[in-house]
Amino acid sequence: MKSEAPTQHAHHAWEKASRLAPPPKPPQLHFCMPAMPSMRLIRAVDMGWWHCRRRWLFRRHIVPLLACDDQLLRDIGHCREDILWANQLPLKVDALQALKARQKTGYVLQS
């Protein structure tokens, strides 16, 4: 945030947090070695790690935007309540996708 405007920094933080793609599905093998774990177990561990990493990126890049003023958050299309709501979601729910879906539906938090 040294030389860029706060709005540009916020967009950059959002893009950086959105970059992590889900891991590819493991290949379907036609044989199984005796000591080889099941592909479902490998996929579950892989996706669990991906969800943890994605939430870590969310907390690293998006949650610090709460320090910005409400006008800046409105400029990037979110509000403070939405970010706090997404931060409280369960780990298996992708917070970035939930925020995008909430933004598309125009859901307004009633106080």
Side-chain angles (χ1 to χ4, degrees), residues 53-89:
R53 176 106 168 107
R54 184 88 165 170
R55 186 57 60 97
W56 177 79
L57 285 172
F58 175 80
R59 287 187 177 143
R60 182 172 180 210
H61 295 291
I62 304 302
V63 172
L65 293 177
L66 292 173
C68 300
D69 62 342
D70 290 334
Q71 180 62 38
L72 175 67
L73 292 175
R74 275 193 298 271
D75 287 347
I76 63 171
H78 296 289
C79 67
R80 189 171 309 282
E81 290 81 18
D82 288 346
I83 294 174
L84 290 170
W85 168 80
N87 195 33
Q88 298 298 320
L89 291 173

Side-chain angles (χ1 to χ4, degrees), residues 9-46:
H9 176 71
H11 283 292
H12 181 68
W14 183 267
E15 288 302 316
K16 203 167 189 179
S18 298
R19 263 187 228 147
L20 186 65
K25 290 186 178 182
Q28 290 291 339
L29 301 177
H30 299 292
F31 63 91
C32 185
M33 298 296 290
M36 189 170 138
S38 81
M39 286 294 154
R40 277 191 260 158
L41 175 64
I42 292 172
R43 178 72 175 164
V45 169
D46 221 11

